[in-house]
Amino acid sequence: MKPFTFEKAKTSAEALQLKNAKKDFIAGGTNIVDLLKKNIAQPDGMVDISIALPTEIKLSEKSVNIGAMVRNTALTTNSDLLKNYALITKAVLAGASPQIRNMASTAGNLLQRTRCPYFYDITTPCNKRKPGSGCSALNGDNKMSAIIGYNEQCVAVHPSDLCVALSALDANVHGINSKNEKFIIPFKDFHKLPEDTPWLDNNIPQNAVITYIEVPKNEFHKKYSYVKLRERTSYAFAMISVASALEMEGNTIKNVRLASGGVSHKPWRWYEAEDYLKGKKVSEEVFKKASEIVTEKVKPLAHNGYKVKMLRGAIELALQNASNL
């Protein structure tokens, strides 16, 4: 591991003042430490922001605001979230181990890097690690890679469970830059597809830091589901995950949210399936049709065709669970 300096910031302003192109932030450390060990991240210095950013969960009539440094464990135990935003709790409990959840921060979860094996193997070409070197997974072992939204530059997937739930709930990411200017990024625009810059995971401005995540008030706290399919029963990243939430009028779907992980470079919303489901009466046939709409647009790679059938089944199951069908 490359030696580095270590500084502890007390405020967001101080954190941004200390940060530069050759230094990285460290919050919980559950991802950056792995990157340091693998010599993927080699900063000259680390800026600890664990006491510089908000640590509270604040409920209002319009939303809940989750501080950037709220630990993932707190997302699973907070009474306001359990009552009004339980899909978030459900998703967080599906990811990582209790020990990691005790350390991992909310903002850090949003900013974590892909777990693509080629990204972690510094002996192989990877555009995310070394721009312009190529994508080894494109024609390599891509069984865990993307099936939608990718290109020849990168086929990696975003690893977060929390982000799938936040995508489904139309969250907003709030932050501040080094000029003390506040900004808001709708969650659907926060993470990015590979395009021509696969080394960039998100659209956060340079010299900026996340302060909190805002989740608008919704009526999805009664009927929701998070389905995660993985190679082992716990502590594994998703092959496919689905967050579903329904707002009902009797037996009719008034509003619906449907998002997936394990399929793309960013958490993926299935807007066409959502539009189809609105106004439909709950039935296995309707949910099956929604799953078919979802899988019409996916394009599996050489070794991950299994994800298509798995995604279809996960969509149906998530909708059935949410509706108590």
Side-chain angles (χ1 to χ4, degrees), residues 64-248:
V64 64
N65 292 341
I66 303 170
M69 274 306 305
V70 170
R71 304 293 182 180
N72 281 188
T73 294
L75 298 178
T76 69
T77 58
N78 181 270
S79 58
D80 290 329
L81 291 182
L82 289 169
K83 181 179 179 180
N84 301 291
Y85 301 88
L87 180 59
I88 293 174
T89 294
K90 191 82 170 178
V92 173
L93 286 172
S97 66
Q99 293 88 346
I100 289 177
R101 292 198 297 267
N102 285 342
M103 289 299 298
S105 66
T106 296
N109 193 298
L110 272 59
L111 297 172
Q112 63 181 301
R113 312 288 322 259
T114 183
R115 264 54 175 197
C116 176
Y118 295 105
F119 174 70
Y120 274 84
D121 183 355
I122 61 174
T123 67
T124 62
C126 172
N127 286 323
K128 291 189 76 63
R129 186 170 17 83
K130 186 178 179 181
S133 62
C135 175
S136 294
L138 182 64
N139 297 305
D141 182 1
N142 48 42
K143 70 175 184 176
M144 295 294 286
S145 300
I147 57 175
I148 194 169
Y150 63 85
N151 61 20
E152 63 182 12
Q153 296 285 325
C154 182
V155 297
V157 298
H158 194 270
S160 172
D161 290 292
L162 169 62
C163 288
V164 179
L166 293 176
S167 174
L169 296 176
D170 281 336
N172 294 300
V173 180
H174 291 247
I176 190 168
N177 64 22
S178 57
K179 297 180 181 179
N180 203 35
E181 298 169 334
K182 296 180 180 179
F183 62 86
I184 304 174
I185 304 176
F187 206 84
K188 64 182 180 64
D189 300 324
F190 183 78
H191 296 98
K192 63 180 294 296
L193 296 179
E195 300 166 332
D196 294 326
T197 53
W199 52 92
L200 298 178
D201 296 326
N202 55 69
N203 291 309
I204 189 171
Q206 286 189 333
N207 302 317
V209 65
I210 296 171
T211 51
Y212 66 92
I213 292 85
E214 171 200 8
V215 186
K217 184 179 180 180
N218 60 73
E219 297 299 325
F220 298 122
H221 55 279
K222 295 180 180 179
K223 294 186 176 296
Y224 60 89
S225 175
Y226 191 77
V227 172
K228 182 177 181 179
L229 305 178
R230 43 195 163 182
E231 288 185 317
R232 57 180 188 267
T233 55
S234 63
Y235 314 152
F237 296 101
M239 293 185 286
I240 292 290
S241 64
V242 177
S244 66
L246 301 173
E247 182 184 351
M248 306 292 296

